[in-house]
Amino acid sequence: QLNFEDDCRINKILDFTSENFDKNIKIEQIAGIVNLTKESFCRYFKAQTGKSYLEFLIEFRISNACKILLKNQMSIKEIAYSCGFDSLSNFHYQFKKVIKQSPLEYKVSYSNVAN
């Protein structure tokens, strides 16, 4: 259960992430937005969500990549970079880690379900 202050902090974090997920986000940068040190922010975010901010950010980026994969004709490379990943190999690794399929397998399997 969140109190008002925690609710405001989490909303600021979510808003910032939503607006900037496609950029290189530094922990110090987002910690400053909610007036915490890097260390305090990491402890706070983990206590509130059960995961690190980096885990959350990767899942957020992958979620957006999934939406684009299913709605757009962009290449997988373009999608990776548009979602904030700095390399195609890292995108493939993180995608497979989170979704348990490669981006292409995901797109094909969803296309098969939709047809």
Side-chain angles (χ1 to χ4, degrees):
Q1 249 181 331
L2 299 176
N3 63 34
F4 180 74
E5 183 180 350
D6 288 333
D7 194 38
C8 287
R9 273 190 176 150
I10 290 295
N11 283 336
K12 283 183 183 179
I13 293 166
L14 295 176
D15 289 344
F16 180 84
T17 302
S18 180
E19 293 169 11
N20 297 284
F21 73 93
D22 57 335
K23 299 171 185 74
N24 184 15
I25 299 174
K26 303 273 187 214
I27 296 293
E28 295 85 0
Q29 182 183 18
I30 193 146
I33 289 170
V34 291
N35 299 317
L36 294 171
T37 65
K38 176 183 172 181
E39 295 78 13
S40 295
F41 172 79
C42 291
R43 280 191 305 276
Y44 169 79
F45 193 83
K46 181 104 179 190
Q48 296 300 320
T49 66
K51 58 181 75 175
S52 73
Y53 181 74
L54 184 57
E55 291 170 319
F56 167 76
L57 179 59
I58 289 168
E59 289 175 7
F60 191 93
R61 287 174 171 168
I62 295 296
S63 173
N64 278 281
C66 288
K67 291 175 194 170
I68 297 170
L69 272 168
L70 299 177
K71 293 182 180 178
N72 204 311
Q73 294 301 318
M74 291 171 66
S75 72
I76 291 174
K77 182 178 181 180
E78 290 172 316
I79 293 169
Y81 290 111
S82 73
C83 289
F85 289 92
D86 57 0
S87 76
L88 187 57
S89 62
N90 185 39
F91 173 68
H92 275 278
Y93 173 79
Q94 297 296 346
F95 195 97
K96 202 160 192 168
K97 185 176 170 186
V98 173
I99 303 296
K100 310 293 188 237
Q101 293 178 308
S102 73
L104 186 56
E105 290 170 336
Y106 176 81
K107 185 172 186 161
V108 168
S109 69
Y110 191 88
S111 295
N112 289 341
V113 169
N115 291 330

